[in-house]
Structure formats: C-alpha cells, structure tokens
C-alpha cells in the first residue's frame, strides 16, 4: 500500500494536471490508521501527509471557487461533493487541528453535509434517494455545449444507488468526526 501511494505522492507535478482523487485521501488515512494500530510512527511517512495536505488545499480552493454553498462543483452535483467529503473526513484526523487548513476543512465538511442533507428527497416513493443534481444547468449561462447541458439536465433528477452510497458515506464520515470530538454537529 505504501509503494502504491508513493507514485502519486512523489509525482505531484503530474498529479496537478489530473482531477483530485478522493480515494488517495481515503487510502492514505486508512494506511495511517493501520500503521498507528501496529504501533508505528506515521511521521516516518510525512511525505504522504504532505501529499494529502496538498490535495486538501486544492479541494479547499475548489470549494472556495464554487458559487453554491456546500457544493464543491458549483453545479449542484451531489456525488462530486459527497466524494470530496469522503476524502476530507478520512484525512481530517491527521491534519493539525489548529491549522487554517483543518479549520477550512471542517467548515467545508459541515456545509457540504448540509447541502447533501438538503439534496435528499424527503417524501414520496423516492424518499431517501439522492439525485445526481438538485438544479438543472441553465442553457443560457452555461459555457458547456448544448449537448452536454441537455445530457446533464436529462439525468439531473436521476437517482442511483452510487449517488446515495457516496452521500451516506460522506455523512457517516462526518458522524465519525463528531464522535471523535473533531467536529460539532450542525
């Protein structure tokens, strides 16, 4: 697992050109959990934590650029927000809790969880489901092709198990942080 994470961690320049992968944060956090359980000092793997901090910083920039409170993408997409929260909730315990990075992460997590809760369908036969997006894209203001907008809008109300799974995983990660005393409930 360490060797697998060495590749992205030691090649940030190549990674900067790619979308942020929340799985890297989850994998490294799980690796740190295992190392600590084995009584090993995770500071020996500081370069992995540095990589995570770099990813978190990129996510916080992305979050700050969103014009939709609680959404990482600004497009009201539930799954992109949920997957980012899955990664952030996993790695938060390994961040310096007094740092601006951790404080920004906690704010983003709390607001995103609220966004996800508000996105969940509350009544009817689909109650409990989480749609792809809570708002359709505006064809007049979007810079995407009309084909891409139509494809997105046709699926915006779609409910799939993976949308729900990511939302549940994000909220459960938030709940774990509350139980660890790293966050307060909203």
């Amino acid at each position: 697992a360490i060797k697998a994470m060495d590749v992205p961690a030691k090649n940030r320049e190549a990674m900067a050109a790619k979308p942020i992968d929340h799985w890297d944060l989850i994998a490294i956090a799980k690796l740190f959990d295992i190392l600590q359980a084995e009584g090993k000092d995770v500071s020996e793997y500081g370069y992995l934590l540095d990589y995570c901090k770099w990813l978190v910083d990129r996510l916080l920039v992305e979050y700050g650029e969103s014009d939709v409170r609680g959404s990482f993408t600004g497009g009201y997409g539930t799954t992109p927000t949920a997957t980012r929260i899955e990664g952030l909730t996993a790695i938060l315990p390994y961040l310096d809790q007094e740092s601006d990075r951790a404080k920004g992460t906690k704010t983003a997590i709390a607001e995103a969880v609220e966004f996800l809760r508000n996105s969940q369908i509350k009544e009817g036969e689909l109650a409990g489901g989480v749609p792809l997006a809570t708002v359709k894209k505006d064809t007049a203001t979007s810079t995407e092709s009309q084909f891409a907008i139509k494809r997105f809008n046709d699926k915006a109300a779609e409910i799939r198990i993976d949308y729900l799974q990511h939302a549940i995983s994000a909220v459960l990660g938030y709940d774990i942080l509350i139980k660890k005393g790293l966050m307060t409930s909203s």
Side-chain angles (χ1 to χ4, degrees):
I2 293 167
K3 286 181 182 179
M5 293 315 306
D6 279 354
V7 174
K10 292 180 177 177
N11 293 291
R12 284 192 218 166
E13 192 173 304
M15 296 306 293
K18 297 179 181 182
I20 300 165
D21 191 347
H22 72 286
W23 288 110
D24 286 357
L25 294 170
I26 294 169
I28 292 171
K30 183 54 76 177
L31 177 62
F32 286 170
D33 290 346
I34 292 167
L35 290 169
Q36 282 187 334
E38 293 176 349
K40 295 181 180 163
D41 183 4
V42 297
S43 65
E44 182 179 332
Y45 303 96
Y47 69 98
L48 290 177
L49 184 56
D50 288 343
Y51 173 58
C52 289
K53 291 175 185 176
W54 179 75
L55 290 173
V56 168
D57 290 345
R58 288 180 63 201
L59 286 172
L60 292 177
V61 166
E62 180 183 72
Y63 185 73
E65 292 174 349
S66 173
D67 57 348
V68 179
R69 186 168 184 245
S71 173
F72 274 77
T73 62
Y76 294 91
T78 58
T79 302
T81 293
T83 58
R84 285 153 174 84
I85 295 308
E86 288 177 272
L88 290 173
T89 57
I91 204 61
L92 180 66
Y94 293 100
L95 300 178
D96 172 6
Q97 298 303 301
E98 300 304 315
S99 69
D100 288 340
R101 178 182 292 114
K103 291 173 186 172
T105 299
K106 290 176 185 184
T107 297
I109 289 169
E111 291 176 357
V113 166
E114 188 65 24
F115 169 80
L116 292 172
R117 286 179 177 159
N118 291 335
S119 300
Q120 191 172 32
I121 297 171
K122 307 291 189 272
E123 40 190 58
E125 68 178 24
L126 300 176
V130 175
L132 170 67
T134 59
V135 174
K136 291 184 177 189
K137 292 183 179 180
D138 184 353
T139 57
T141 60
S142 179
T143 58
E144 294 180 82
S145 72
Q146 291 298 310
F147 173 78
I149 294 168
K150 181 178 178 353
R151 188 178 70 202
F152 178 88
N153 287 345
D154 287 348
K155 293 184 174 259
E158 179 180 74
I159 296 172
R160 295 185 354 193
I161 191 66
D162 53 329
Y163 303 159
L164 180 60
Q165 175 268 310
H166 286 295
I168 288 172
S169 294
V171 173
L172 287 174
Y174 175 66
D175 187 58
I176 289 167
L177 293 175
I178 292 168
K179 289 177 179 166
K180 288 181 175 181
L182 295 174
M183 293 198 68
T184 57
S185 62
S186 59

